[in-house]
Amino acid sequence: MKKIICSLPLCFVLHTASSQQSNSNVIQVNIDLHKTAQTIRNFAASDAWAGQFTGNWPDNKRNQIADWLFSSDTTASGQPKGIGLSMWRFNIGAGSAEQGDNSGIKDEWRRAESFLQPDHTYNWKKQSGQLWFLQAAKQRGVTDFLGFLNSPPVAFTRNGKAFADKGQSNLPPENYSAAAVFLKEVVQGIRIATGVSLNYINPVNEPQWDWSDGGQEGCPYNNEQIAGFTKAISKTFSEAKLPVKILITEAGKINYLYAPEDKSDKGSQINAFFNPRSSTYVGNLPNVYKGIAAHSYFTTSPEDTATAIRKRLHTALNGLEFWQSEYCILGDNAGEINGSGVDLGMDAALYMARVIHSDLTVANAAAWQWWLAISPYNYKDGLIYIDKDKTDGQLRDTKMMWVLGNYSRFIRPGAIRVQAEISDSAALKDLYLSAYKNKDNTLRIVVINNGRTAANASIHCKGLKAGSMRSYTTSAAENLQPGYISGNIVHIPPRSVVTLTGNLSNKQ
């Protein structure tokens, strides 16, 4: 057995030799509120691609989806109605839907409408299903919204399509300003049409990939092209006095933020955009967010590799904020789990939880965002699964959704991650823990038990009010099931994720 001291920013994880121990063994958890790490901005998911259809489904169906994703309400028994996402990602379409089969994108669910019409006027009745979800999110308390481009509008692309030719950037430099004006119009038009203000814009998405196969809307960029487009957007937003922040770069995998990898003109993006000596420096522009975004794809398995990559990222950031802005379970992940096939249960949910934990505690991610909130596909890419029907269908929630809720519902914007130490008094493996202090002076502890043996934890935190702790458990049989805690000993069931909540006194 061994003791892991959970020093920041390292992950909190207890590994011991045997998982078959008595439940009477107690793991002692010491929380130090004065040793802090990053501030949490949000937990989110996106409306791509199904939101365009499900937002126009019958009221009972679309409201159930919205409740699951956005609600922080509870039933009379205290059961959470939803996972309380704190940000919603809006896919700003490029216009491939209007092109139909001529778009070259075979799957019409991966096409998207555009507000920009062929005569260069705007139609704010387009993307109506997605606009409905923006309003539904706001009504349920979401305050932060992000608009992202997979491709610029087809009116401005080189080939008139929403995907590229042979990996060449599909947005020519002479159209940077026009595309920037389009984004300004979208921000203003959505606010007028729905009352929702987009707080952030992601102008590029996974710029390292070729986006030439017509599988979906997409556009590649090198660092020089990203800088040029970003400068045009910042200038346009600044002149219009829009307070919207530009979040770059949505790198296709974490490695591209700190290393050139296999694409020297598309990698080392922290240095490229935030080093004042770089020719592509944009960190001083008035609308550019002082943070950088990447996706956790292809970096999550095996666990020691995932940790090493995130440690390198944390070092390279040198204080710059990091957002993990898109993830779902892709590929075979070193044989640990395969992305193919729907999994409504705990296998996928526990793998997802480990990724969230690693991103938050090793990379110090300030935001963690899932890919498809709603999926019609036979893949591990959705929080909610639906029939692939444009007008109506069945809904299925997942344990992945509820496990994301173990974080998103309880760790609110402005929360600060705090240090914890875990003793070696119980010989359980695959136990992960992180702790957070919310702005309202509440404590949140998330415990992942990936093993098949239950654990007991004794929580020690100076300033934690006696009798204030509750638990919310997601397991094969429970979805954020509330429970009361007597004393400071907490039971963590096998193969579960448990959020512990408590109130803090003013003296800590």
Side-chain angles (χ1 to χ4, degrees):
M1 296 187 296
K2 62 182 179 180
K3 179 179 180 180
I4 302 295
I5 300 297
C6 306
S7 56
L8 300 172
L10 302 181
C11 62
F12 311 140
V13 54
L14 176 70
H15 286 295
T16 53
S18 171
S19 63
Q20 301 300 318
Q21 297 290 329
S22 168
N23 288 345
S24 62
N25 287 330
V26 176
I27 300 161
Q28 182 168 310
V29 177
N30 298 310
I31 308 295
D32 190 336
L33 301 173
H34 299 287
K35 294 182 180 179
T36 61
Q38 79 274 30
T39 298
I40 302 299
R41 305 300 179 191
N42 60 74
F43 292 89
S46 83
D47 65 2
W49 303 90
Q52 62 184 313
F53 300 124
T54 52
N56 291 313
W57 275 21
D59 277 347
N60 63 322
K61 302 288 183 64
R62 63 183 184 176
N63 277 302
Q64 177 63 82
I65 293 172
D67 283 344
W68 277 340
L69 294 172
F70 309 128
S71 179
S72 294
D73 291 341
T74 58
T75 66
S77 66
Q79 179 70 43
K81 290 183 178 180
I83 66 171
L85 293 177
S86 46
M87 175 179 274
W88 186 236
R89 293 174 56 91
F90 179 87
N91 176 27
I92 301 172
S96 57
E98 288 88 345
Q99 294 177 322
D101 291 342
N102 291 330
S103 68
I105 299 174
K106 300 177 183 64
D107 183 354
E108 65 177 316
W109 284 64
R110 290 181 175 263
R111 304 169 191 161
E113 292 180 343
S114 177
F115 296 118
L116 183 64
Q117 303 302 287
D119 64 358
H120 286 251
T121 61
Y122 288 84
N123 181 351
W124 302 112
K125 293 183 180 179
K126 293 288 187 176
Q127 298 194 249
S128 61
Q130 294 169 252
L131 294 178
W132 185 89
F133 274 110
L134 281 180
Q135 293 173 301
K138 183 179 180 181
Q139 289 165 0
R140 289 163 176 81
V142 178
T143 58
D144 282 353
F145 298 89
L146 180 149
F148 66 98
L149 289 177
N150 286 306
S151 165
V154 294
F156 304 137
T157 59
R158 295 180 193 273
N159 61 6
K161 304 290 186 184
F163 63 95
D165 287 329
K166 300 178 181 179
Q168 179 186 33
S169 178
N170 211 14
L171 181 65
E174 60 267 25
N175 285 346
Y176 289 167
S177 293
V181 170
F182 164 77
L183 288 172
K184 179 202 73 171
E185 295 291 338
V186 166
V187 170
Q188 294 174 329
I190 286 177
R191 186 173 62 236
I192 292 170
T194 66
V196 172
S197 295
L198 298 180
N199 310 90
Y200 302 88
I201 288 290
N202 279 138
V204 303
N205 174 67
E206 297 183 346
Q208 291 82 15
W209 310 146
D210 285 348
W211 299 115
S212 301
D213 64 359
Q216 65 167 73
E217 294 190 347
C219 184
Y221 300 85
N222 62 33
N223 290 344
E224 182 179 357
Q225 292 160 342
I226 293 172
F229 190 20
T230 300
K231 289 174 183 177
I233 299 168
S234 187
K235 181 176 184 291
T236 300
F237 283 9
S238 183
E239 289 174 349
K241 295 182 170 53
L242 287 184
V244 182
K245 292 297 183 181
I246 305 164
L247 180 68
I248 53 177
T249 62
E250 296 259 30
K253 60 180 179 179
I254 288 173
N255 313 56
Y256 287 122
L257 293 187
Y258 61 78
E261 293 289 298
D262 55 337
K263 295 178 172 64
S264 59
D265 62 341
K266 299 182 176 185
S268 302
Q269 292 189 318
I270 293 170
N271 182 72
F273 300 118
F274 291 96
N275 182 345
R277 294 183 295 275
S278 168
S279 63
T280 52
Y281 177 57
V282 295
N284 62 337
L285 297 180
N287 286 79
V288 170
Y289 189 72
K290 301 305 187 287
I292 198 163
H295 301 168
S296 280
Y297 299 125
F298 316 115
T299 65
T300 60
S301 295
E303 188 174 0
D304 57 351
T305 299
T307 299
I309 288 170
R310 284 155 180 78
K311 285 182 179 179
R312 287 193 64 184
L313 171 62
H314 177 72
T315 299
L317 286 165
N318 194 29
L320 185 69
E321 195 168 278
F322 166 60
W323 288 27
Q324 193 296 117
S325 56
E326 184 182 311
Y327 181 72
C328 70
I329 300 174
L330 291 180
D332 67 359
N333 300 287
E336 293 180 349
I337 190 169
N338 195 292
S340 297
V342 172
D343 182 352
L344 305 180
M346 288 303 295
D347 286 345
L350 287 168
Y351 187 86
M352 172 210 215
R354 196 185 82 188
V355 174
I356 298 173
H357 176 84
S358 180
D359 286 335
L360 294 180
T361 65
V362 185
N364 268 23
W368 203 91
Q369 302 174 351
W370 182 257
W371 176 217
L372 303 183
I374 311 157
S375 174
Y377 299 109
N378 187 28
Y379 210 84
K380 295 178 182 66
D381 57 2
L383 301 178
I384 298 166
Y385 285 90
I386 61 167
D387 297 333
K388 200 173 185 182
D389 187 310
K390 291 189 287 186
T391 59
D392 198 358
Q394 297 302 309
L395 314 174
R396 293 180 292 171
D397 60 325
T398 68
K399 296 298 179 179
M400 285 194 294
M401 183 188 78
W402 293 109
V403 159
L404 178 55
N406 280 96
Y407 291 89
S408 59
R409 183 182 175 92
F410 302 101
I411 305 166
R412 304 306 297 171
I416 297 174
R417 187 166 69 84
V418 297
Q419 182 171 292
E421 293 182 358
I422 307 174
S423 79
D424 62 350
S425 58
L428 289 169
K429 71 174 184 176
D430 293 327
L431 191 73
Y432 304 78
L433 179 146
S434 57
Y436 310 82
K437 179 184 175 182
N438 278 323
K439 292 170 69 175
D440 65 358
N441 217 28
T442 55
L443 179 67
R444 304 295 189 242
I445 305 167
V446 183
V447 188
I448 305 164
N449 185 355
N450 202 38
R452 297 185 179 276
T453 303
N456 290 310
S458 175
I459 308 299
H460 297 265
C461 176
K462 184 179 180 180
L464 179 62
K465 291 183 178 179
S468 69
M469 290 190 67
R470 297 191 70 186
S471 64
Y472 293 85
T473 301
T474 301
S475 66
E478 300 165 305
N479 297 328
L480 296 180
Q481 181 65 39
Y484 289 96
I485 299 169
S486 177
N488 66 341
I489 304 296
V490 182
H491 182 72
I492 311 297
R495 290 176 55 78
S496 71
V497 180
V498 178
T499 301
L500 308 175
T501 70
N503 297 323
L504 298 169
S505 67
N506 293 324
K507 295 181 180 181
Q508 298 165 12

